[in-house]
Amino acid sequence: EDEKRKYVKGKKLGEGTYANVYLGHVRGDPSALVAIKKIKVQQQYRDGMAPDAVRELKYLRELHHPNIISLLSVFSSKDQNLNLVLEYLPLGDLEMLIRDVDRVRYGAADIKAWMGMLARAVWFCHDNFVLHRDIKPNNLLIAADGEVKLADFGLARSFADPGRRMTANVITRWYRPPELLFGARHYGGAVDIWSVGMVFAELIIRAPFLAGNTEVEQIALICKHIGTPTEDNWPGVTQLREYTVPSEVVPVWGKDAYMGRFGAVGPDGVDLLVRTVALDPKKRITAREMLEHRWWRTDPKPTRKEDLPRKS
Ligand code: ADP
């Protein structure tokens, strides 16, 4: 209750699937802006994780990193709604920049800077045993100084206990990895890495890379553009409960096949991209390995955050 009184709620900033977001400020300090995210009642019990929801928030509260949105406070209002007080990020999100092709121009150095910030955010989550499970351009918000911040931890959870089954029904379809599309109930950080790969591809081509209208279509697009998951490239895949692929098997595309469409980030960038979209989650690059990749050190150097393109 003390926490609730600390903030003054202002105008509505936006409405999401799980929450309404309001501008707010610290009581007594109108310049100390915050975003207050009020979780919709029926959404608090999604994913059968109601008892976990508060616990997960506790983890998020402890995730302090420049590329992860800061959770400043949590309180429940009189109607039992959960309210998250978050740092206010005024410059929109990465999706807005990607889509505004006419007005926003960016190049390989900018993509490298944004991807570096995303990779560090994901590494920090995984290093703290937190899976985000909804990485997409729309959840990458931009701070006043250009820093990209991973936001919307509404589906996040701890994966500290690998013995526990988790729902496969997470991650927005276009960014969802094949193991989840095949119904895997035991998974790890690799699910977020696939999403990172999809964001990387989308930053380059400025359109969603694999935009399936259904889960079946999503699997078909993965098979067509990346390759068909088989026992050869992914031992055990055919045992997953919802494994089905189009009958015409497509061999996994090599780096060269990606160069035409994604070559703007150079051969090292394409190498990193290909490693993020390895079909077998065991072979997919980890967040730590991403940070050690040579692409970050080859020219061009990543753009300084203050110099990154912003919405007009
Ligand atoms: P969605 O992800 O469906 O857009 P959200 O609930 O995450 O829904 O957010 C709804 C809207 O509120 C977003 O479009 C965004 O513009 C705004 N918003 C969310 N969080 C913040 C924040 N920390 N600072 C500023 N605006 C925010």
Side-chain angles (χ1 to χ4, degrees):
E1 272 313 290
D2 280 357
E3 286 303 305
K4 176 175 161 42
R5 290 173 48 79
K6 235 161 95 179
Y7 302 97
V8 178
K9 194 156 94 184
K11 66 164 189 182
K12 194 163 165 180
L13 286 173
E15 174 153 11
T17 338
Y18 319 113
N20 289 315
V21 181
Y22 301 86
L23 183 62
H25 65 82
V26 176
R27 192 176 294 282
D29 185 356
S31 68
L33 298 177
V34 296
I36 300 176
K37 187 165 178 171
K38 187 170 177 171
I39 310 290
K40 292 175 184 171
V41 178
Q42 65 276 25
Q43 294 299 345
Q44 292 181 40
Y45 302 101
R46 280 182 90 251
D47 194 21
M49 62 171 225
D52 289 0
V54 175
R55 196 160 51 91
E56 303 304 344
L57 287 170
K58 198 187 71 163
Y59 296 131
L60 178 55
R61 220 168 181 170
E62 286 154 14
L63 286 178
H64 298 294
H65 185 276
N67 300 113
I68 295 176
I69 192 166
S70 298
L71 179 64
L72 305 169
S73 177
V74 181
F75 62 83
S76 58
S77 35
K78 51 184 175 297
D79 45 4
Q80 301 278 298
N81 276 355
L82 198 56
N83 289 259
L84 313 187
V85 183
L86 300 158
E87 66 178 311
Y88 176 58
L89 300 171
L91 291 189
D93 57 59
L94 224 42
E95 185 185 28
M96 293 167 52
L97 297 183
I98 292 170
R99 298 281 177 274
D100 196 353
V101 179
D102 291 337
R103 289 184 300 177
V104 178
R105 295 180 176 269
Y106 61 77
D110 306 315
I111 295 175
K112 193 176 286 187
W114 286 323
M115 284 301 298
M117 297 189 271
L118 173 55
R120 291 192 289 278
V122 174
W123 169 77
F124 192 78
C125 289
H126 292 181
D127 201 49
N128 286 281
F129 298 98
V130 172
L131 298 181
H132 184 278
R133 307 199 300 183
D134 201 16
I135 294 170
K136 55 182 174 177
N138 171 253
N139 284 339
L140 293 163
L141 305 187
I142 304 171
D145 64 355
E147 199 84 62
V148 165
K149 310 233 177 192
L150 182 56
D152 215 339
F153 280 69
L155 289 175
R157 64 159 292 155
S158 165
F159 63 106
D161 179 1
R164 270 181 67 191
R165 282 153 53 113
M166 299 182 278
T167 176
N169 191 25
V170 288
I171 307 187
T172 305
R173 192 189 314 114
W174 300 345
Y175 306 89
R176 198 179 301 160
E179 64 269 31
L180 293 185
L181 291 164
F182 293 148
R185 305 296 296 271
H186 297 275
Y187 52 83
V191 299
D192 285 335
I193 298 297
W194 178 277
S195 308
V196 168
M198 292 298 116
V199 172
F200 191 11
E202 183 166 340
L203 277 166
I204 301 167
I205 62 178
R206 299 195 72 156
F209 177 30
L210 304 174
N213 291 308
T214 63
E215 292 192 17
V216 169
E217 198 183 317
Q218 192 65 32
I219 293 169
L221 284 170
I222 289 172
C223 295
K224 181 176 175 203
H225 292 280
I226 294 174
T228 305
T230 62
E231 283 295 324
D232 286 334
N233 56 43
W234 179 355
V237 66
T238 58
Q239 301 307 307
L240 291 174
R241 48 207 273 155
E242 285 158 48
Y243 174 79
T244 40
V245 291
S247 55
E248 199 156 336
V249 170
V250 178
V252 175
W253 297 104
K255 211 171 129 178
D256 292 344
Y258 288 80
M259 280 304 290
R261 219 169 152 198
F262 300 102
V265 291
D268 291 329
V270 168
D271 183 84
L272 178 57
L273 174 63
V274 171
R275 291 176 196 279
T276 60
V277 298
L279 294 170
D280 183 346
K282 286 201 178 70
K283 295 174 188 150
R284 214 169 287 152
I285 194 168
T286 64
R288 169 170 289 279
E289 289 163 351
M290 276 194 84
L291 294 179
E292 289 160 1
H293 196 274
R294 64 180 178 278
W295 184 52
W296 311 110
R297 291 185 303 272
T298 53
D299 278 338
K301 296 275 175 285
T303 307
R304 294 183 317 181
K305 63 177 192 277
E306 303 79 16
D307 299 332
L308 283 165
R310 37 186 82 205
K311 67 171 180 178
S312 41

Short mmCIF file of all heavy atoms in Angstrom, two decimals, residues 91-107 110-111 114-115 118 135-142 148 174-175 195-209 262 309-312:
data_model
loop_
_atom_site.label_atom_id
_atom_site.label_comp_id
_atom_site.label_asym_id
_atom_site.label_seq_id
_atom_site.Cartn_x
_atom_site.Cartn_y
_atom_site.Cartn_z
N LEU A 91 10.92 6.70 -26.32
CA LEU A 91 11.22 6.74 -27.76
C LEU A 91 10.68 5.57 -28.56
O LEU A 91 11.21 5.23 -29.62
CB LEU A 91 12.73 6.89 -27.98
CG LEU A 91 13.32 8.25 -27.57
CD1 LEU A 91 14.77 8.36 -28.03
CD2 LEU A 91 12.51 9.40 -28.18
N GLY A 92 9.61 4.96 -28.05
CA GLY A 92 8.98 3.91 -28.85
C GLY A 92 9.74 2.60 -28.79
O GLY A 92 10.46 2.33 -27.83
N ASP A 93 9.57 1.80 -29.81
CA ASP A 93 10.20 0.48 -29.82
C ASP A 93 10.85 0.21 -31.17
O ASP A 93 10.69 0.97 -32.13
CB ASP A 93 9.16 -0.59 -29.48
CG ASP A 93 7.97 -0.56 -30.44
OD1 ASP A 93 8.18 -0.72 -31.65
OD2 ASP A 93 6.83 -0.35 -29.98
N LEU A 94 11.58 -0.88 -31.21
CA LEU A 94 12.33 -1.23 -32.42
C LEU A 94 11.40 -1.50 -33.61
O LEU A 94 11.75 -1.22 -34.76
CB LEU A 94 13.22 -2.45 -32.13
CG LEU A 94 14.66 -2.41 -32.64
CD1 LEU A 94 15.34 -1.08 -32.44
CD2 LEU A 94 15.47 -3.53 -31.99
N GLU A 95 10.22 -2.03 -33.33
CA GLU A 95 9.29 -2.31 -34.43
C GLU A 95 8.93 -1.03 -35.18
O GLU A 95 8.86 -1.02 -36.41
CB GLU A 95 8.02 -2.99 -33.90
CG GLU A 95 7.10 -3.40 -35.03
CD GLU A 95 5.76 -3.97 -34.57
OE1 GLU A 95 5.30 -3.59 -33.48
OE2 GLU A 95 5.19 -4.78 -35.31
N MET A 96 8.73 0.06 -34.44
CA MET A 96 8.38 1.33 -35.09
C MET A 96 9.48 1.78 -36.05
O MET A 96 9.20 2.30 -37.13
CB MET A 96 8.16 2.41 -34.03
CG MET A 96 6.93 2.18 -33.15
SD MET A 96 6.89 3.26 -31.69
CE MET A 96 7.11 4.85 -32.44
N LEU A 97 10.73 1.59 -35.63
CA LEU A 97 11.85 2.01 -36.48
C LEU A 97 11.97 1.10 -37.71
O LEU A 97 12.18 1.57 -38.83
CB LEU A 97 13.16 1.97 -35.68
CG LEU A 97 13.24 2.94 -34.51
CD1 LEU A 97 14.62 2.85 -33.85
CD2 LEU A 97 12.98 4.38 -34.95
N ILE A 98 11.82 -0.21 -37.49
CA ILE A 98 11.93 -1.16 -38.60
C ILE A 98 10.88 -0.85 -39.67
O ILE A 98 11.17 -0.86 -40.86
CB ILE A 98 11.77 -2.61 -38.08
CG1 ILE A 98 12.96 -3.01 -37.20
CG2 ILE A 98 11.60 -3.59 -39.24
CD1 ILE A 98 12.77 -4.35 -36.45
N ARG A 99 9.65 -0.57 -39.21
CA ARG A 99 8.53 -0.39 -40.15
C ARG A 99 8.54 0.96 -40.89
O ARG A 99 8.00 1.07 -41.98
CB ARG A 99 7.20 -0.48 -39.41
CG ARG A 99 6.93 -1.80 -38.76
CD ARG A 99 6.45 -2.86 -39.73
NE ARG A 99 6.31 -4.10 -38.98
CZ ARG A 99 7.31 -4.95 -38.76
NH1 ARG A 99 8.50 -4.74 -39.30
NH2 ARG A 99 7.12 -6.01 -38.04
N ASP A 100 9.14 1.98 -40.27
CA ASP A 100 9.08 3.32 -40.87
C ASP A 100 10.16 3.47 -41.94
O ASP A 100 11.08 4.29 -41.84
CB ASP A 100 9.25 4.38 -39.77
CG ASP A 100 8.81 5.76 -40.24
OD1 ASP A 100 8.51 5.92 -41.45
OD2 ASP A 100 8.77 6.68 -39.41
N VAL A 101 10.00 2.68 -43.00
CA VAL A 101 11.03 2.58 -44.04
C VAL A 101 11.25 3.93 -44.74
O VAL A 101 12.37 4.27 -45.13
CB VAL A 101 10.65 1.49 -45.08
CG1 VAL A 101 11.69 1.39 -46.18
CG2 VAL A 101 10.49 0.14 -44.39
N ASP A 102 10.17 4.72 -44.89
CA ASP A 102 10.29 5.98 -45.61
C ASP A 102 11.12 7.02 -44.85
O ASP A 102 11.86 7.80 -45.45
CB ASP A 102 8.89 6.57 -45.88
CG ASP A 102 8.15 5.73 -46.91
OD1 ASP A 102 8.82 5.03 -47.69
OD2 ASP A 102 6.90 5.76 -46.90
N ARG A 103 10.99 7.03 -43.53
CA ARG A 103 11.64 8.10 -42.76
C ARG A 103 12.85 7.67 -41.95
O ARG A 103 13.69 8.50 -41.61
CB ARG A 103 10.60 8.75 -41.83
CG ARG A 103 9.58 9.58 -42.60
CD ARG A 103 8.64 10.29 -41.65
NE ARG A 103 7.91 9.34 -40.80
CZ ARG A 103 7.06 9.70 -39.85
NH1 ARG A 103 6.85 10.98 -39.62
NH2 ARG A 103 6.42 8.80 -39.16
N VAL A 104 12.92 6.38 -41.60
CA VAL A 104 14.03 5.94 -40.74
C VAL A 104 15.01 5.10 -41.56
O VAL A 104 14.66 4.05 -42.09
CB VAL A 104 13.50 5.12 -39.53
CG1 VAL A 104 14.66 4.63 -38.68
CG2 VAL A 104 12.53 5.96 -38.71
N ARG A 105 16.22 5.63 -41.71
CA ARG A 105 17.26 4.88 -42.42
C ARG A 105 18.29 4.39 -41.42
O ARG A 105 18.67 5.12 -40.51
CB ARG A 105 17.93 5.77 -43.46
CG ARG A 105 16.96 6.15 -44.52
CD ARG A 105 17.56 7.03 -45.60
NE ARG A 105 16.53 7.22 -46.60
CZ ARG A 105 16.38 6.41 -47.65
NH1 ARG A 105 17.24 5.41 -47.86
NH2 ARG A 105 15.39 6.59 -48.51
N TYR A 106 18.72 3.15 -41.59
CA TYR A 106 19.79 2.65 -40.73
C TYR A 106 20.61 1.61 -41.48
O TYR A 106 20.18 1.10 -42.51
CB TYR A 106 19.23 2.10 -39.41
CG TYR A 106 18.26 0.93 -39.52
CD1 TYR A 106 18.73 -0.36 -39.77
CD2 TYR A 106 16.89 1.12 -39.33
CE1 TYR A 106 17.84 -1.43 -39.83
CE2 TYR A 106 16.01 0.05 -39.40
CZ TYR A 106 16.48 -1.22 -39.65
OH TYR A 106 15.61 -2.28 -39.71
N GLY A 107 21.81 1.35 -40.99
CA GLY A 107 22.71 0.44 -41.68
C GLY A 107 23.32 -0.59 -40.74
O GLY A 107 22.86 -0.77 -39.60
N ASP A 110 24.37 0.30 -37.16
CA ASP A 110 23.22 0.51 -36.26
C ASP A 110 22.65 -0.84 -35.83
O ASP A 110 22.34 -1.05 -34.65
CB ASP A 110 22.14 1.34 -36.96
CG ASP A 110 22.69 2.65 -37.50
OD1 ASP A 110 23.44 3.32 -36.76
OD2 ASP A 110 22.40 2.98 -38.66
N ILE A 111 22.50 -1.75 -36.79
CA ILE A 111 21.99 -3.09 -36.47
C ILE A 111 22.92 -3.77 -35.45
O ILE A 111 22.47 -4.40 -34.50
CB ILE A 111 21.86 -3.95 -37.75
CG1 ILE A 111 20.80 -3.36 -38.68
CG2 ILE A 111 21.55 -5.41 -37.41
CD1 ILE A 111 20.68 -4.05 -40.04
N TRP A 114 22.22 -2.28 -31.98
CA TRP A 114 20.95 -2.78 -31.42
C TRP A 114 21.07 -4.25 -31.04
O TRP A 114 20.61 -4.66 -29.97
CB TRP A 114 19.81 -2.57 -32.43
CG TRP A 114 19.36 -1.14 -32.56
CD1 TRP A 114 19.27 -0.21 -31.54
CD2 TRP A 114 18.93 -0.49 -33.75
NE1 TRP A 114 18.81 0.98 -32.06
CE2 TRP A 114 18.59 0.84 -33.40
CE3 TRP A 114 18.79 -0.88 -35.09
CZ2 TRP A 114 18.11 1.78 -34.33
CZ3 TRP A 114 18.32 0.04 -36.01
CH2 TRP A 114 17.99 1.36 -35.64
N MET A 115 21.68 -5.05 -31.91
CA MET A 115 21.82 -6.48 -31.62
C MET A 115 22.73 -6.71 -30.41
O MET A 115 22.50 -7.63 -29.64
CB MET A 115 22.38 -7.22 -32.85
CG MET A 115 21.37 -7.44 -33.96
SD MET A 115 19.93 -8.39 -33.42
CE MET A 115 20.70 -9.94 -32.95
N LEU A 118 20.62 -6.14 -27.40
CA LEU A 118 19.69 -7.26 -27.22
C LEU A 118 20.43 -8.51 -26.70
O LEU A 118 19.96 -9.17 -25.77
CB LEU A 118 18.99 -7.57 -28.56
CG LEU A 118 18.11 -8.82 -28.61
CD1 LEU A 118 17.06 -8.81 -27.51
CD2 LEU A 118 17.45 -8.95 -29.99
N ILE A 135 10.41 -12.45 -26.91
CA ILE A 135 11.30 -11.48 -27.54
C ILE A 135 10.81 -11.19 -28.96
O ILE A 135 10.59 -12.11 -29.76
CB ILE A 135 12.75 -11.99 -27.55
CG1 ILE A 135 13.27 -12.07 -26.11
CG2 ILE A 135 13.66 -11.09 -28.41
CD1 ILE A 135 14.60 -12.79 -25.97
N LYS A 136 10.59 -9.91 -29.25
CA LYS A 136 10.17 -9.45 -30.57
C LYS A 136 10.42 -7.94 -30.62
O LYS A 136 10.56 -7.31 -29.56
CB LYS A 136 8.69 -9.78 -30.81
CG LYS A 136 7.74 -9.27 -29.75
CD LYS A 136 6.31 -9.69 -30.05
CE LYS A 136 5.38 -9.30 -28.92
NZ LYS A 136 3.98 -9.65 -29.22
N PRO A 137 10.46 -7.36 -31.82
CA PRO A 137 10.83 -5.94 -31.93
C PRO A 137 9.93 -5.02 -31.09
O PRO A 137 10.39 -4.03 -30.52
CB PRO A 137 10.68 -5.65 -33.42
CG PRO A 137 10.92 -6.96 -34.09
CD PRO A 137 10.32 -7.99 -33.15
N ASN A 138 8.66 -5.37 -30.99
CA ASN A 138 7.68 -4.59 -30.24
C ASN A 138 7.96 -4.57 -28.73
O ASN A 138 7.48 -3.69 -28.02
CB ASN A 138 6.30 -5.20 -30.56
CG ASN A 138 5.20 -4.66 -29.72
OD1 ASN A 138 4.70 -5.33 -28.82
ND2 ASN A 138 4.82 -3.42 -29.99
N ASN A 139 8.75 -5.53 -28.25
CA ASN A 139 9.09 -5.58 -26.83
C ASN A 139 10.49 -5.06 -26.55
O ASN A 139 11.02 -5.25 -25.47
CB ASN A 139 8.95 -7.01 -26.29
CG ASN A 139 7.49 -7.38 -26.08
OD1 ASN A 139 6.64 -6.50 -25.96
ND2 ASN A 139 7.20 -8.68 -26.05
N LEU A 140 11.08 -4.41 -27.54
CA LEU A 140 12.39 -3.79 -27.35
C LEU A 140 12.18 -2.28 -27.37
O LEU A 140 12.08 -1.66 -28.44
CB LEU A 140 13.34 -4.27 -28.45
CG LEU A 140 13.65 -5.78 -28.33
CD1 LEU A 140 14.25 -6.34 -29.61
CD2 LEU A 140 14.58 -6.04 -27.14
N LEU A 141 12.08 -1.72 -26.19
CA LEU A 141 11.76 -0.29 -26.05
C LEU A 141 13.03 0.53 -26.04
O LEU A 141 14.12 0.03 -25.74
CB LEU A 141 10.94 -0.06 -24.78
CG LEU A 141 9.65 -0.88 -24.64
CD1 LEU A 141 8.86 -0.44 -23.41
CD2 LEU A 141 8.77 -0.77 -25.87
N ILE A 142 12.88 1.81 -26.37
CA ILE A 142 14.06 2.66 -26.55
C ILE A 142 14.04 3.81 -25.55
O ILE A 142 13.07 4.56 -25.44
CB ILE A 142 14.13 3.17 -28.00
CG1 ILE A 142 14.11 1.96 -28.97
CG2 ILE A 142 15.39 4.01 -28.21
CD1 ILE A 142 13.97 2.34 -30.42
N VAL A 148 18.55 0.39 -25.95
CA VAL A 148 17.42 -0.53 -26.16
C VAL A 148 17.24 -1.36 -24.89
O VAL A 148 18.21 -1.83 -24.30
CB VAL A 148 17.68 -1.45 -27.38
CG1 VAL A 148 16.72 -2.64 -27.38
CG2 VAL A 148 17.53 -0.67 -28.67
N TRP A 174 5.54 -15.68 -34.92
CA TRP A 174 6.62 -15.45 -35.90
C TRP A 174 8.01 -15.62 -35.29
O TRP A 174 8.99 -15.81 -36.00
CB TRP A 174 6.53 -14.03 -36.50
CG TRP A 174 5.26 -13.76 -37.22
CD1 TRP A 174 4.33 -14.68 -37.64
CD2 TRP A 174 4.76 -12.47 -37.62
NE1 TRP A 174 3.29 -14.04 -38.27
CE2 TRP A 174 3.53 -12.68 -38.27
CE3 TRP A 174 5.26 -11.17 -37.48
CZ2 TRP A 174 2.77 -11.63 -38.80
CZ3 TRP A 174 4.51 -10.11 -37.99
CH2 TRP A 174 3.28 -10.35 -38.64
N TYR A 175 8.09 -15.50 -33.97
CA TYR A 175 9.38 -15.54 -33.28
C TYR A 175 9.55 -16.85 -32.51
O TYR A 175 10.49 -17.01 -31.77
CB TYR A 175 9.49 -14.32 -32.34
CG TYR A 175 9.25 -13.04 -33.10
CD1 TYR A 175 7.97 -12.50 -33.25
CD2 TYR A 175 10.30 -12.41 -33.78
CE1 TYR A 175 7.74 -11.37 -34.02
CE2 TYR A 175 10.08 -11.28 -34.55
CZ TYR A 175 8.79 -10.76 -34.67
OH TYR A 175 8.57 -9.65 -35.44
N SER A 195 14.30 -16.43 -31.11
CA SER A 195 13.60 -15.15 -31.26
C SER A 195 14.59 -14.03 -31.59
O SER A 195 14.31 -13.16 -32.42
CB SER A 195 12.84 -14.79 -29.99
OG SER A 195 12.01 -15.85 -29.57
N VAL A 196 15.74 -14.05 -30.94
CA VAL A 196 16.79 -13.06 -31.22
C VAL A 196 17.20 -13.16 -32.69
O VAL A 196 17.37 -12.13 -33.37
CB VAL A 196 18.02 -13.27 -30.30
CG1 VAL A 196 19.22 -12.46 -30.77
CG2 VAL A 196 17.68 -12.92 -28.86
N GLY A 197 17.33 -14.36 -33.20
CA GLY A 197 17.67 -14.56 -34.60
C GLY A 197 16.61 -13.99 -35.53
O GLY A 197 16.92 -13.36 -36.55
N MET A 198 15.35 -14.18 -35.17
CA MET A 198 14.25 -13.65 -35.98
C MET A 198 14.27 -12.11 -35.97
O MET A 198 14.00 -11.47 -36.98
CB MET A 198 12.90 -14.17 -35.49
CG MET A 198 12.68 -15.65 -35.70
SD MET A 198 12.69 -16.16 -37.44
CE MET A 198 14.12 -17.23 -37.45
N VAL A 199 14.59 -11.53 -34.82
CA VAL A 199 14.69 -10.06 -34.73
C VAL A 199 15.86 -9.58 -35.60
O VAL A 199 15.74 -8.58 -36.32
CB VAL A 199 14.87 -9.60 -33.27
CG1 VAL A 199 15.18 -8.11 -33.20
CG2 VAL A 199 13.63 -9.93 -32.43
N PHE A 200 16.97 -10.29 -35.53
CA PHE A 200 18.17 -9.95 -36.32
C PHE A 200 17.80 -9.94 -37.81
O PHE A 200 18.05 -8.96 -38.53
CB PHE A 200 19.25 -10.99 -36.01
CG PHE A 200 20.63 -10.68 -36.52
CD1 PHE A 200 20.96 -9.43 -37.04
CD2 PHE A 200 21.64 -11.65 -36.46
CE1 PHE A 200 22.25 -9.16 -37.50
CE2 PHE A 200 22.92 -11.40 -36.92
CZ PHE A 200 23.23 -10.16 -37.44
N ALA A 201 17.18 -11.01 -38.27
CA ALA A 201 16.79 -11.11 -39.68
C ALA A 201 15.85 -9.97 -40.05
O ALA A 201 15.99 -9.34 -41.11
CB ALA A 201 16.11 -12.46 -39.93
N GLU A 202 14.92 -9.67 -39.16
CA GLU A 202 13.92 -8.63 -39.44
C GLU A 202 14.55 -7.24 -39.50
O GLU A 202 14.15 -6.40 -40.32
CB GLU A 202 12.82 -8.68 -38.36
CG GLU A 202 11.69 -7.70 -38.57
CD GLU A 202 10.47 -8.01 -37.70
OE1 GLU A 202 10.34 -9.17 -37.21
OE2 GLU A 202 9.66 -7.10 -37.50
N LEU A 203 15.54 -7.00 -38.65
CA LEU A 203 16.25 -5.72 -38.70
C LEU A 203 16.91 -5.54 -40.07
O LEU A 203 16.94 -4.43 -40.61
CB LEU A 203 17.33 -5.66 -37.61
CG LEU A 203 16.86 -5.26 -36.21
CD1 LEU A 203 17.95 -5.58 -35.18
CD2 LEU A 203 16.50 -3.77 -36.16
N ILE A 204 17.41 -6.63 -40.63
CA ILE A 204 18.11 -6.54 -41.91
C ILE A 204 17.14 -6.35 -43.08
O ILE A 204 17.31 -5.44 -43.90
CB ILE A 204 18.98 -7.80 -42.15
CG1 ILE A 204 20.01 -7.97 -41.03
CG2 ILE A 204 19.69 -7.71 -43.51
CD1 ILE A 204 20.70 -9.34 -41.00
N ILE A 205 16.10 -7.16 -43.15
CA ILE A 205 15.20 -7.09 -44.31
C ILE A 205 14.02 -6.14 -44.09
O ILE A 205 13.23 -5.89 -45.00
CB ILE A 205 14.69 -8.49 -44.75
CG1 ILE A 205 13.88 -9.17 -43.65
CG2 ILE A 205 15.86 -9.37 -45.18
CD1 ILE A 205 13.32 -10.55 -44.06
N ARG A 206 13.90 -5.63 -42.87
CA ARG A 206 12.87 -4.65 -42.51
C ARG A 206 11.45 -5.19 -42.75
O ARG A 206 10.53 -4.44 -43.08
CB ARG A 206 13.10 -3.31 -43.22
CG ARG A 206 14.45 -2.70 -42.83
CD ARG A 206 14.58 -1.25 -43.20
NE ARG A 206 13.75 -0.39 -42.34
CZ ARG A 206 13.99 0.90 -42.11
NH1 ARG A 206 15.04 1.49 -42.69
NH2 ARG A 206 13.21 1.61 -41.34
N ALA A 207 11.31 -6.48 -42.56
CA ALA A 207 10.01 -7.14 -42.59
C ALA A 207 10.17 -8.42 -41.77
O ALA A 207 11.28 -8.95 -41.70
CB ALA A 207 9.61 -7.48 -44.03
N PRO A 208 9.09 -8.90 -41.15
CA PRO A 208 9.23 -10.17 -40.42
C PRO A 208 9.75 -11.24 -41.36
O PRO A 208 9.31 -11.34 -42.50
CB PRO A 208 7.80 -10.46 -39.96
CG PRO A 208 7.12 -9.13 -39.96
CD PRO A 208 7.74 -8.35 -41.09
N PHE A 209 10.72 -12.02 -40.88
CA PHE A 209 11.36 -13.02 -41.75
C PHE A 209 10.41 -14.19 -42.02
O PHE A 209 10.19 -14.55 -43.18
CB PHE A 209 12.65 -13.50 -41.06
CG PHE A 209 13.40 -14.59 -41.77
CD1 PHE A 209 13.36 -14.72 -43.16
CD2 PHE A 209 14.19 -15.48 -41.05
CE1 PHE A 209 14.08 -15.73 -43.81
CE2 PHE A 209 14.90 -16.48 -41.69
CZ PHE A 209 14.84 -16.61 -43.06
N PHE A 262 20.66 -11.39 -46.66
CA PHE A 262 21.08 -10.85 -45.36
C PHE A 262 22.52 -10.33 -45.38
O PHE A 262 23.08 -9.99 -44.34
CB PHE A 262 20.93 -11.93 -44.28
CG PHE A 262 19.51 -12.41 -44.13
CD1 PHE A 262 19.11 -13.63 -44.68
CD2 PHE A 262 18.57 -11.65 -43.45
CE1 PHE A 262 17.79 -14.08 -44.55
CE2 PHE A 262 17.25 -12.09 -43.32
CZ PHE A 262 16.87 -13.30 -43.87
N PRO A 309 19.72 5.97 -35.04
CA PRO A 309 18.52 6.59 -35.61
C PRO A 309 17.37 6.51 -34.61
O PRO A 309 17.30 5.55 -33.83
CB PRO A 309 18.20 5.71 -36.82
CG PRO A 309 19.35 4.82 -37.03
CD PRO A 309 20.16 4.80 -35.79
N ARG A 310 16.53 7.51 -34.60
CA ARG A 310 15.36 7.48 -33.72
C ARG A 310 14.11 7.86 -34.49
O ARG A 310 14.19 8.36 -35.60
CB ARG A 310 15.57 8.36 -32.49
CG ARG A 310 16.34 9.65 -32.74
CD ARG A 310 16.62 10.38 -31.44
NE ARG A 310 17.79 9.86 -30.71
CZ ARG A 310 17.95 9.98 -29.39
NH1 ARG A 310 17.02 10.57 -28.67
NH2 ARG A 310 19.02 9.51 -28.80
N LYS A 311 12.98 7.63 -33.88
CA LYS A 311 11.72 7.91 -34.57
C LYS A 311 11.60 9.41 -34.81
O LYS A 311 12.05 10.21 -33.99
CB LYS A 311 10.53 7.37 -33.77
CG LYS A 311 10.26 8.07 -32.45
CD LYS A 311 8.94 7.59 -31.86
CE LYS A 311 8.69 8.30 -30.53
NZ LYS A 311 7.42 7.94 -29.90
N SER A 312 10.98 9.78 -35.92
CA SER A 312 10.87 11.21 -36.22
C SER A 312 9.51 11.73 -35.77
O SER A 312 8.65 10.99 -35.37
CB SER A 312 11.06 11.45 -37.71
OG SER A 312 10.39 10.46 -38.46
#
